[in-house]
Amino acid sequence: MIIHDARFLTSNSRADLCPAPALPEYAFIGRSNVGKSSLINMLTGRNALAKTSSSPGKTQLINHFVINDNWFLVDLPGYGYAKVSKTSRAEWAKMINFYLRHRPNLMCVCVLLDSRHAPQAADLEFMEKLGEEGIPFVMVFTKSDKQSTAQTKALLTAYLAKMSEIWDELPRYFQTSAETGLGRDELLDFIAGVNKDWKADAADNA
Ligand code: GTP
Ligand code: MG
């Protein structure tokens, strides 16, 4: 897919205030600092489209971007940031749960996981919840430039082994680097394929 246009649309604290669900939507979620905003910039080829930061907790709201006037990319606040209070954590859960349930156009949640880290409870629990709610998701292993290919491969193998203890069928997964652009074509091709299904369904329902 060629990205010829990528624009920031709105930031909202509530899903019911988000743009009308007229386009297929893909949400990026994962622990604080995992690289959600950086990946959005890498995919769109716009360096400062989503705000990034080396300190966790930068993204606080539901941020909609419109790509090629054809689909929405959504940057969500991260979870699992140790310094966050219980109240803020509960607020986050409320916001995200409401968002996940109120976007009929949500085609897929991209769960970002740091490719250097062993499976973490917060991520596994979040994916289980998506499964229970029947929300489609893929796993995206980020920052793979930060270690050797062999190290990433070993971690991915261990991660998939852990997932297969929980899941009968493994979710689809991607390996990315916001630094080198690794995984860009694969992820964009995947999105283009799902967008086609959305169009086909819309035509059937017309
Ligand atoms: P929050 O909004 O705080 O939840 O974080 P985030 O998940 O949006 O992370 P962000 O994109 O802001 O990136 C966090 C830090 O990791 C920044 O310093 C980025 O430059 C760095 N980073 C993100 N992705 C990559 C990557 O693929 N490779 C390398 N080397 N650094 C990365
Ligand atoms: Mg962010």
Side-chain angles (χ1 to χ4, degrees):
M1 184 195 311
I2 295 166
I3 307 286
H4 54 77
D5 192 46
R7 276 176 293 130
F8 168 72
L9 209 54
T10 53
S11 288
N12 290 288
S13 59
R14 286 190 1 220
D16 51 335
L17 303 175
C18 287
L23 296 174
E25 179 156 318
Y26 302 83
F28 282 17
I29 199 154
R31 295 166 75 82
S32 285
N33 217 39
V34 71
K36 300 174 290 294
S37 304
S38 302
L39 186 60
I40 287 177
N41 292 340
M42 184 275 262
L43 288 178
T44 58
R46 312 289 194 276
N47 268 347
L49 189 62
K51 291 194 182 97
T52 65
S53 167
S54 55
S55 48
K58 178 71 184 168
T59 309
Q60 294 284 342
L61 295 166
I62 304 166
N63 297 294
H64 272 78
F65 302 88
V66 62
I67 315 297
N68 292 350
D69 287 320
N70 198 35
W71 52 283
F72 291 135
L73 193 47
V74 177
D75 194 11
L76 294 171
Y79 54 82
Y81 174 39
K83 283 188 190 156
V84 160
S85 70
K86 252 191 186 169
T87 322
S88 309
R89 210 163 292 180
E91 284 295 318
W92 177 90
K94 212 166 113 187
M95 181 206 274
I96 297 300
N97 288 334
F98 192 75
Y99 166 80
L100 293 173
R101 293 196 185 115
H102 288 83
R103 297 301 287 172
N105 57 333
L106 182 60
M107 306 305 283
C108 184
V109 174
C110 297
V111 180
L112 273 64
L113 305 157
D114 192 317
S115 62
R116 297 167 300 171
H117 298 160
Q120 317 256 315
D123 297 320
L124 296 173
E125 281 161 20
F126 185 73
M127 289 187 277
E128 272 188 70
K129 198 172 149 49
L130 290 175
E132 282 162 17
E133 305 252 345
I135 299 167
F137 71 93
V138 295
M139 299 187 288
V140 179
F141 293 95
T142 63
K143 304 193 184 184
S144 55
D145 59 282
K146 289 214 174 204
Q147 64 186 359
S148 72
T149 311
Q151 281 170 314
T152 303
K153 200 172 168 209
L155 265 144
L156 282 196
T157 306
Y159 210 106
L160 297 177
K162 180 72 190 171
M163 288 296 284
S164 55
E165 288 173 15
I166 306 167
W167 296 84
D168 287 337
E169 203 180 317
L170 283 180
R172 193 160 170 176
Y173 68 92
F174 298 87
Q175 200 183 314
T176 62
S177 162
E179 285 292 312
T180 68
L182 180 82
R184 181 175 188 268
D185 291 348
E186 289 79 2
L187 204 45
L188 287 177
D189 284 353
F190 166 73
I191 290 172
V194 181
N195 283 345
K196 260 193 206 150
D197 294 344
W198 158 279
K199 280 218 177 102
D201 283 352
D204 285 349
N205 295 331

